[in-house]
């Protein structure tokens, strides 16, 4: 059975003067209606680039995209990578929508929020401007903005950060899209506002049975809402598993490092927060071996310098749990246990 | 309607400032002329100059009273008109009397202003449409042939001064192809009565001025459109599913052209004060030539004073108009 969105072997590269930047490398994932997929990784790991490719928002003259991304509509699957730009454009906003990190710069400063939402609605609905504004008010009400009759005519700069993100959400959902890509929707917001926005997204997802792809670098956000997690590093997916597997049984040293670098209430006092040493790799000349090898604390435990010479495959280490590592599950568990006792 | 009230209040306050500023400018001009080591009373004197004649001249020209008194008479004249010792009478609004031309300055200005206005307005429309469209085309074809072609135009336009481009146009276009009879160059035709004659007189001078300005506006539009295209809100517009055409027209241009309103307003206001070189080349008797003649040849204080005041009034009033226009364009300005 196929899921709503299936990305298969998607690669995105940008030719530059210094060489080809391989920003996303052989990415595959899928997400179904009603499901939330979190894509986690640090800046430059390729998480936004991949999803902008799904939306068709890359400049075709400056980007090379290979692979496929199928959206399974009732009328049949559409590969948004190979489909004509006009076809993909007409899916944007209706089949798939996107919200962005900084809601201040993502809204047009010269148009009222009602105007901007009505414009999105008017693209796929025939109706007067008045109908568009009525719909905009409905949407603003839905995303929890008070006093919509007045606020619908206000401009983005008159809203607070959280309210602006609500406006963005209202605009993205005005045509009931089946897929919502949220690119770091809470990164620019206060922690209290963050959880409000996440709750709002969760509620709307249930109401509209949407597939959500949540791009973030914040594992706290992931834990709150995701069903499944893809961890990306150096333009590749390094681990792809359900939320529980990711948090309680990570099988890739990078994921382990990420989890160790966030504070956890259940382990308070017993360990220091650890940082992953080193820098993320340059995407122009990726190492031949594992991209994470230079920063990996377990690389020396692998026999025959394998981590330096060969890039591991994304293997199914246990049922429906994929990880990219030369260490077997047992080996990794032994090493982790040793670390734990060493820390004590 | 509260916003409307506030806007009216803002406009009236700005108008008051404008008035005060104009008064100060006019006083300053009077003092500057008083300080200059040239005496109009002596210039108006023949070979047999005696102190008596100079004194009589000084009285006739109205220069025998204090500077402030002279200024006050001028201001009064604006509202009540003035009667001069020789029996000349200029009704309100009187900008003074030119003893050189034996005419009221108001009449002289009324003759010169339509010429300057025609030139400025024609050039303004030409350079805005040319500059903005070329800029947009260049931005949309960034790095390609059309962009490079437009950058050649920008280079030529900005580096060619009007006194060269104007003369070249007169020599190689107007005279060579006999488009305008050289004797009729610069003749005034009322555009509402004789539009063709008006066009014959003004097309080439306007084009000369527009060429220089259009180049600057092309460059400005190009860089603004390119910059705006990479804004997040343009990506949002694309993510909504809008077509590239709508994105350009409604989203990109709105943000990219807003700053152009400011410089366009001020450039236009500057031209309303007179385009000295272009008027000179094409023999147009506008405000620019009027001022130059009054300063260099006849030393005609009332004319210099009036043209200077007019020029500064245009700039100040245009500033006000630009600010109000900006409040309509940018909601963030409207709030504050």
């Amino acid at each position: 059975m196929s899921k709503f969105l299936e990305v298969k072997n998607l690669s995105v590269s940008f030719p530059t003067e210094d060489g080809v930047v391989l920003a996303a490398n052989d990415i595959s994932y899928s997400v179904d209606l009603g499901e939330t997929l979190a894509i986690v990784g640090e800046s430059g790991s390729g998480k936004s680039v991949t999803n902008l490719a799904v939306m068709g928002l890359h400049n075709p003259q400056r980007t090379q995209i290979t692979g496929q991304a199928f959206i399974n509509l009732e009328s049949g699957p559409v590969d948004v990578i190979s489909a004509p730009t006009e076809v993909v454009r007409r899916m944007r906003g209706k089949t798939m929508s996107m919200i962005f990190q900084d809601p201040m710069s993502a809204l047009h400063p010269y148009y009222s929020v009602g105007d901007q939402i009505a414009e999105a609605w008017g693209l796929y609905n025939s109706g007067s401007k008045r109908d568009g504004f009525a719909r905009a008010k409905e949407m603003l009400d839905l995303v929890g903005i008070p006093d919509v009759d007045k606020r619908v005519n206000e401009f983005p700069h008159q809203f607070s950060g959280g309210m602006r993100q609500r406006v963005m959400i209202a605009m993205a959902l005005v045509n009931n899209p089946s897929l919502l890509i949220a690119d770091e929707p809470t990164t620019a917001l206060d922690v209290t506002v963050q959880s409000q926005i996440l709750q709002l997204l969760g509620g709307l997802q249930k109401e509209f049975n949407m597939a959500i792809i949540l791009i973030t670098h914040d594992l706290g956000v992931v834990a709150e809402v995701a069903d499944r997690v893809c961890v990306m590093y150096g333009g590749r997916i390094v681990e792809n598993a359900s939320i529980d597997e990711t948090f309680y049984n990570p099988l890739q040293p990078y994921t382990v490092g990420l989890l160790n670098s966030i504070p956890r209430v259940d382990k308070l006092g017993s360990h220091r927060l650890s940082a992953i040493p080193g820098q993320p790799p340059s995407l122009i000349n990726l190492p031949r071996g594992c991209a994470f090898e230079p920063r990996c604390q377990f690389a020396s435990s692998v026999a025959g310098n394998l981590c330096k010479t060969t890039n591991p495959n994304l293997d199914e280490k246990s049922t429906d749990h994929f990880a990219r590592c030369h260490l077997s599950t047992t080996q990794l568990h032994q090493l982790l246990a040793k670390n734990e006792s060493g820390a004590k | 309607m509260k916003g409307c009230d506030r806007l009216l209040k803002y406009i009236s306050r700005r108008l008051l400032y404008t008035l005060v500023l104009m008064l100060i400018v006019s006083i300053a001009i009077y003092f500057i002329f008083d300080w200059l080591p040239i005496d109009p009373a002596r210039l108006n004197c023949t070979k047999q100059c005696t102190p008596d004649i100079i004194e009589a001249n000084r009285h006739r020209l109205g220069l025998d009273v204090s500077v402030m008194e002279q200024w006050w008479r001028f201001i009064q004249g604006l509202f009540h008109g003035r009667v001069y010792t020789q029996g000349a009478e200029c009704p309100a609004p009187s900008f003074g009397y030119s003893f050189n031309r034996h005419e009221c300055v108001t009449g002289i200005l009324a003759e010169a202003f339509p010429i300057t206005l025609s030139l400025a307005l024609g050039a303004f429309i030409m350079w805005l449409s040319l500059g903005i469209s070329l800029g947009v085309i260049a931005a949309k074809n960034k790095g390609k042939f059309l962009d490079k072609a437009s950058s050649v135009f920008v280079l030529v336009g900005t580096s060619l001064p009007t006194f060269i481009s104007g003369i070249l146009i007169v020599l190689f276009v107007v005279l060579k192809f006999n488009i305008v009879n050289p004797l009729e160059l610069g003749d005034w035709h009322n555009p509402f009565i004789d539009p063709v004659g008006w066009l014959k007189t003004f097309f080439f001078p306007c084009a000369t001025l527009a060429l220089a300005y259009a180049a600057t506006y092309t460059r400005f539009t190009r860089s603004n459109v390119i910059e705006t295209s990479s804004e997040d809100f343009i990506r949002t517009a694309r993510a909504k599913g809008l077509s590239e055409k709508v994105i350009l027209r409604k989203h990109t241009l709105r943000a990219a052209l807003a700053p152009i309103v400011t410089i366009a307003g001020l450039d236009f206001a500057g031209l309303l004060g007179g385009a000295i070189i272009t008027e000179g080349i094409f023999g147009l008797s506008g405000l620019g030539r009027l001022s130059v003649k009054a300063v260099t040849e006849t030393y005609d204080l009332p004319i210099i004073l009036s043209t200077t005041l007019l020029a500064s009034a245009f700039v100040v009033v245009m500033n006000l108009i630009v600010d109000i226009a900006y409040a309509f364009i940018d909601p963030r300005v409207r709030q504050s």
Side-chain angles (χ1 to χ4, degrees), chain A residues 55 57 61 89 92-93 100 105-111 115-116 119-120 123-124 155 157-158 168 171, chain B residues 144 232-233 235-236 238-243 246 250-252 254-255 258 326 329-332 334-335:
Chain A
M55 288 289 289
L57 290 178
Q61 280 149 14
R89 173 171 83 75
R92 284 203 287 268
F100 300 98
S105 58
L107 289 166
H108 202 298
Y110 293 172
Y111 293 104
D115 211 335
Q116 298 188 48
E119 185 186 36
L123 263 176
Y124 297 105
F155 294 86
H157 70 273
Q158 291 166 286
M168 275 301 289
M171 189 161 81
Chain B
K144 292 189 206 150
D232 285 355
F233 58 78
R235 186 181 57 186
T236 305
R238 216 163 265 135
K240 275 164 141 179
L242 293 172
S243 67
V246 175
K250 195 174 163 190
H251 291 249
T252 313
R254 173 83 188 261
Y326 227 92
I329 296 168
D330 191 340
R332 287 168 299 186
R334 211 174 311 162
Q335 297 306 314

Side-chain angles (χ1 to χ4, degrees), chain B:
Chain B
M1 283 299 97
K2 217 178 86 200
C4 209
D5 269 8
R6 228 169 30 190
L7 189 66
L8 273 178
K9 217 184 232 167
Y10 170 75
I11 293 174
S12 44
R13 202 177 57 223
R14 283 291 305 268
L15 276 174
L16 193 73
Y17 288 156
T18 307
L19 220 62
V20 173
L21 190 64
M22 294 316 303
L23 287 180
I24 294 171
V25 168
S26 58
I27 293 175
I29 295 170
Y30 265 93
F31 272 101
I32 290 169
F33 273 89
D34 189 52
W35 281 327
L36 287 179
I38 303 167
D39 189 353
R42 198 179 287 274
L43 284 179
N44 276 307
C45 192
T46 47
K47 271 181 188 162
Q48 298 89 26
C49 211
T50 63
D52 285 352
I53 300 176
I54 293 177
E55 213 35 59
N57 270 345
R58 188 158 286 142
H59 178 67
R60 188 167 59 93
L61 295 171
L63 297 172
D64 55 342
V65 293
S66 73
V67 184
M68 282 313 281
E69 176 72 30
Q70 289 176 38
W71 173 78
W72 181 239
R73 281 185 190 169
F74 171 80
I75 299 295
Q76 278 181 318
L78 278 179
F79 296 98
H80 295 297
R82 276 172 89 172
V83 180
Y84 293 87
T85 40
Q86 288 178 315
E89 191 183 340
C90 299
S94 160
F95 281 90
Y97 183 79
S98 165
F99 289 95
N100 251 294
R101 294 174 54 160
H102 303 288
E103 263 181 275
C104 289
V105 176
T106 309
I108 300 174
L109 293 178
E111 238 170 67
F113 183 64
I115 295 173
T116 295
L117 181 68
S118 296
L119 183 61
L121 201 61
F124 182 70
I125 291 166
M126 276 186 189
W127 93 60
L128 269 192
S129 39
L130 188 68
I132 290 173
S133 30
L134 279 180
V136 171
I137 290 170
K140 284 284 122 187
N141 296 284
K142 191 183 158 197
K144 292 189 206 150
F145 173 75
L146 283 173
D147 185 22
K148 283 170 186 152
S150 93
S151 72
V152 171
F153 169 76
V154 168
L155 195 68
V156 172
T158 45
S159 53
L160 206 63
T162 43
F163 59 80
I164 297 201
S165 57
I167 287 171
L168 291 179
I169 286 178
V170 169
L171 283 180
F172 291 103
V173 183
V174 180
L175 299 184
K176 187 146 196 239
F177 296 104
N178 212 9
I179 296 170
V180 183
N181 182 339
L183 295 175
E184 287 170 6
L185 199 73
D187 275 4
W188 168 249
H189 302 272
N190 188 327
F192 301 106
I193 297 165
D194 180 10
V196 178
W198 180 86
L199 208 62
K200 267 187 166 178
T201 306
F202 283 102
F203 181 81
F204 293 103
C206 288
T208 305
L209 266 183
L211 181 71
Y213 283 97
T216 320
Y217 281 66
T218 303
R219 195 171 49 188
F220 193 70
T221 306
R222 177 185 178 274
S223 64
N224 272 17
V225 168
I226 288 174
E227 203 184 300
T228 309
S229 300
S230 63
E231 291 277 0
D232 285 355
F233 58 78
I234 298 301
R235 186 181 57 186
T236 305
R238 216 163 265 135
K240 275 164 141 179
L242 293 172
S243 67
E244 289 302 314
K245 220 168 154 187
V246 175
I247 292 172
L248 176 69
R249 272 204 306 242
K250 195 174 163 190
H251 291 249
T252 313
L253 284 185
R254 173 83 188 261
L257 295 187
I260 286 186
V261 172
T262 313
I263 55 164
L266 293 183
D267 278 344
F268 181 59
L271 276 186
L272 281 180
I276 293 168
I277 294 169
T278 311
E279 284 178 14
I281 292 172
F282 289 92
L284 298 165
S285 318
L287 291 176
R289 257 177 104 200
L290 187 67
S291 331
V292 171
K293 213 170 161 196
V295 171
T296 56
E297 292 171 28
T298 54
Y299 201 70
D300 205 333
L301 177 60
I303 289 182
I304 300 171
L305 180 74
S306 312
T307 51
T308 315
L309 260 184
L310 265 188
S312 51
F314 289 137
V315 172
V316 175
V317 169
M318 198 51 86
N319 252 316
L320 176 67
I321 292 174
V322 163
D323 281 352
I324 293 167
Y326 227 92
F328 280 100
I329 296 168
D330 191 340
R332 287 168 299 186
V333 175
R334 211 174 311 162
Q335 297 306 314
S336 50

